[in-house]
Amino acid sequence: AQKITQTQPGMFVQEKEAVTLDCTYDTSDQSYGLFWYKQPSSGEMIFLIYQGSYDEQNATEGRYSLNFQKARKSANLVISASQLGDSAMYFCAMREGAGAGSYQLTFGKGTKLSVIP
Amino acid sequence: EPEVTQTPSHQVTQMGQEVILRCVPISNHLYFYWYRQILGQKVEFLVSFYNNEISEKSEIFDDQFSVERPDGSNFTLKIRSTKLEDSAMYFCASSPQSAQETQYFGPGTRLLVL
């Protein structure tokens, strides 16, 4: 089974509108972290936002917010007031595990967001 | 703002040749990672490194791969004998004092094996 599922290969949004990118995850760990990264066409991976499994409140970073629904195992990214520069691939990722050691990230297949002027 | 840097940005090599990809993690970070992304596919974990040794590796990271931290700043990935299927974008990442913290990625090295 996929650990991270992003069901939207591509999305379009009108400039200045809000958009939600879906992400569901699968883990049996109690402690885990969820991340969103943006990958523009230039290729770099830009960290956007993080949500810990024990965080009571949804994470927010500027125009980005994470709609965390633990019971549904979903961690959707909401981008408000879309800008042309938001056009990119967006990846949801999960870090599992608690305790000492390394914590690899497992990524979803990504959603390509296109912002229309 | 401190950032992870990677060199070269692009590398073209012949099949069977050795390549070394270089990374300079953020200076006070303790955990280091390599990931790869084959064109059009998702990002895949290769290896993590902490306290001068490999702490975790994926099944992709076979004997032709190795990592090293030769000095206090550089972190390298060596592919001993490249194959066509090694063509990918390779990302280095680092995280601060705890592996539970955010991993910050470098800009990547695009490797093309001919």
Side-chain angles (χ1 to χ4, degrees), chain A residues 13-52:
Chain A
V13 64
Q14 203 76 39
E15 194 179 5
K16 299 180 185 176
E17 297 293 312
V19 63
T20 298
L21 307 183
D22 295 341
C23 173
T24 57
Y25 60 92
D26 183 26
T27 181
S28 56
D29 285 353
Q30 295 301 308
S31 176
Y32 53 89
L34 297 155
F35 302 80
W36 278 91
Y37 287 86
K38 172 184 178 181
Q39 186 178 42
S41 56
S42 50
E44 70 266 35
M45 294 286 287
I46 302 167
F47 165 71
L48 295 178
I49 196 165
Y50 164 77
Q51 179 86 40

Side-chain angles (χ1 to χ4, degrees), chain A residues 37 39 43 101-103 105 108, chain B residues 35 37 48 55-56 91 99 103:
Chain A
Y37 287 86
Q39 186 178 42
S102 148
Y103 301 100
L105 294 180
Chain B
Y35 292 82
Q37 184 183 31
S48 60
S55 49
E56 199 170 19
F91 290 104
Q103 294 180 25

Side-chain angles (χ1 to χ4, degrees), chain B residues 87-103:
Chain B
S87 295
M89 178 78 100
Y90 287 81
F91 290 104
C92 173
S94 68
S95 58
Q97 308 300 313
S98 161
Q100 294 181 339
E101 295 180 71
T102 297
Q103 294 180 25

Side-chain angles (χ1 to χ4, degrees), chain A residues 36-102:
Chain A
W36 278 91
Y37 287 86
K38 172 184 178 181
Q39 186 178 42
S41 56
S42 50
E44 70 266 35
M45 294 286 287
I46 302 167
F47 165 71
L48 295 178
I49 196 165
Y50 164 77
Q51 179 86 40
S53 58
Y54 293 120
D55 293 343
E56 297 278 332
Q57 295 192 331
N58 288 340
T60 61
E61 288 285 350
R63 294 186 299 111
Y64 304 108
S65 60
L66 201 151
N67 184 1
F68 181 47
Q69 298 189 41
K70 198 169 181 177
R72 294 186 176 183
K73 292 189 173 180
S74 75
N76 299 338
L77 177 70
V78 181
I79 306 174
S80 63
S82 298
Q83 302 171 357
L84 295 178
D86 294 335
S87 294
M89 283 290 289
Y90 288 80
F91 291 96
C92 180
M94 177 172 63
R95 181 224 359 109
E96 296 176 281
S102 148

Side-chain angles (χ1 to χ4, degrees), chain B residues 57-74:
Chain B
K57 61 183 180 180
S58 72
E59 57 193 27
I60 302 169
F61 194 88
D62 60 23
D63 291 346
Q64 71 162 341
F65 290 93
S66 62
V67 289
E68 193 177 33
R69 189 155 163 83
D71 53 42
S73 59
N74 290 285

